[in-house]
Amino acid sequence: DIQMTQSPSSLSASVGDRVTITCRASQGIRNDLGWYQQKPGKAPKRLIYAASSLQSGVPSRFSGSGSGTEFTLTISSLQPEDFATYYCLQHNSTPRTFGQGTKVEIK
Amino acid sequence: EVQLVESGGGLVQPGGSLRLSCAASGFTFSSYWMSWVRQAPGKGLEWVANIKQDGSEKYYVDSVKGRFTISRDNAKNSLYLQMNSLRAEDTAVYYCARDLGAGSGSFPFDYWGQGTLVTVSS
């Protein structure tokens, strides 16, 4: 099984800050990775697909990069509505596996 | 508009059974793998199972193998999860999600349902 190691598990940031979240795969997964935002009581919402493609309707302050085993989600300027939990998900193989999540909190 | 609507959750005793359903609309259901994903209270997301377009292949996370069965009815655009021998640790919100589509250029897990809560408790 492919393990996804996501870091940090939580972070505190201020509005306007640049935020970076990392996922590391235990083996190469090409670019078969998505990034998701989840708010309390809601289903996950995809932000990024194919590691670096922005989902339609998602603000351009979100970006993804990486391929193989190292992936990054960047929020260029954190907005109040961005405080949430973020997950990476690999779909290169089954079982699909998620990162442990990163909770982004207000500083 | 793509929609996935889960139903069937509820309170069940340990050792009991429950069948979840997911009604799909707005896309060609029979062209996609489909998955179930769950989230225990206050915890992260965990993929549970998926099923191929024609139902010929099914995969499960180790913790549910032998207890859960995923199935689908393409004529009814519906996905199911039969859960037997339920344990307290199965307590979670269960989401259905659209997995891989046929052909190239498919980027799975683009659409999710709203989730249905399963509580296993005596």
Side-chain angles (χ1 to χ4, degrees):
Chain A
D1 297 0
I2 296 174
Q3 310 302 319
M4 300 301 296
T5 303
Q6 186 174 339
S7 61
S9 57
S10 65
L11 64 90
S12 295
S14 301
V15 172
D17 283 354
R18 182 181 183 89
V19 168
T20 299
I21 300 168
T22 298
C23 262
R24 181 174 292 112
S26 59
Q27 61 191 75
I29 59 170
R30 303 181 305 184
N31 68 339
D32 297 333
L33 180 123
W35 288 98
Y36 295 80
Q37 177 192 67
Q38 189 181 33
K39 296 183 177 179
K42 299 294 187 181
K45 171 189 172 184
R46 192 168 71 177
L47 304 174
I48 301 289
Y49 64 94
S52 60
S53 295
L54 188 67
Q55 181 74 33
S56 176
V58 172
S60 58
R61 62 181 180 272
F62 292 93
S63 64
S65 64
S67 183
T69 60
E70 294 278 338
F71 301 88
T72 300
L73 173 70
T74 300
I75 309 173
S76 60
S77 178
L78 199 65
Q79 297 302 301
E81 60 268 32
D82 301 336
F83 292 95
T85 302
Y86 294 84
Y87 297 91
C88 62
L89 165 63
Q90 71 80 19
H91 56 84
N92 178 264
S93 65
T94 298
R96 305 342 194 161
T97 42
F98 290 89
Q100 300 93 325
T102 297
K103 187 173 184 179
V104 177
E105 299 176 302
I106 301 173
K107 193 171 187 178
Chain B
E1 178 194 7
V2 172
Q3 282 199 311
L4 298 170
V5 180
E6 303 94 337
S7 60
L11 175 64
V12 60
Q13 292 189 337
S17 298
L18 213 55
R19 188 196 196 206
L20 306 183
S21 299
C22 172
S25 61
F27 67 103
T28 305
F29 180 72
S30 59
S31 294
Y32 288 83
W33 285 74
M34 294 294 296
S35 273
W36 287 99
V37 174
R38 68 182 178 181
Q39 186 170 39
K43 303 297 185 182
L45 298 165
E46 179 183 41
W47 176 85
V48 174
N50 67 356
I51 184 169
K52 194 176 179 179
Q53 289 92 333
D54 61 0
S56 61
E57 294 182 38
K58 306 174 184 182
Y59 300 94
Y60 302 90
V61 68
D62 285 348
S63 59
V64 308
K65 283 179 183 175
R67 300 189 299 121
F68 289 13
T69 302
I70 189 171
S71 63
R72 64 192 296 161
D73 185 335
N74 287 341
K76 294 183 177 179
N77 290 337
S78 292
L79 175 72
Y80 306 102
L81 187 67
Q82 177 67 43
M83 304 185 295
N84 298 332
S85 303
L86 282 161
R87 307 167 180 167
E89 54 264 36
D90 297 317
T91 294
V93 174
Y94 285 74
Y95 298 98
C96 67
R98 192 168 80 167
D99 202 315
L100 194 63
S104 61
S106 172
F107 305 103
F109 295 91
D110 49 353
Y111 289 98
W112 298 62
Q114 85 288 349
T116 187
L117 176 63
V118 173
T119 303
V120 184
S121 175
S122 54

